[in-house]
Amino acid sequence: GVRVPITPREREVLEMLGERRSTAEMAAELKLSPITVRRHISALLAKLAVGSREEAGELLARSRSASERRRD
């Protein structure tokens, strides 16, 4: 697939989306405002060309699964 460059912070947010964490939970852990977290989420959704947090998490899960299959 096409690799989309994401920032280290966006990667952290993506991991948390994969864990189905709320915006408030992410903000507290990352020591950011909820508005900043929502901006990171919006940027991720655009970069990944998905329409929801759930789709972003599913994309991450599929990516991990494909990566694990390549290692076998």
Side-chain angles (χ1 to χ4, degrees):
V2 176
R3 293 208 178 255
V4 178
I6 62 174
T7 67
R9 180 65 84 190
E10 289 169 343
R11 180 68 190 186
E12 288 178 298
V13 170
L14 181 57
E15 293 287 340
M16 291 181 184
L17 287 174
E19 297 166 359
R20 299 198 179 276
R21 307 273 286 283
S22 71
T23 299
E25 289 170 329
M26 290 186 246
E29 183 166 329
L30 298 171
K31 296 177 178 45
L32 299 172
S33 78
I35 292 169
T36 301
V37 171
R38 284 195 290 274
R39 285 184 184 140
H40 286 304
I41 293 169
S42 293
L44 272 169
L45 297 183
K47 286 180 177 184
L48 300 174
V50 296
S52 70
R53 301 162 65 108
E54 293 78 16
E55 283 181 83
E58 290 167 9
L59 187 63
L60 176 63
R62 284 195 305 272
S63 173
R64 283 184 176 153
S65 178
S67 175
E68 289 170 7
R69 282 194 305 272
R70 283 192 298 270
R71 277 188 241 142
D72 291 343

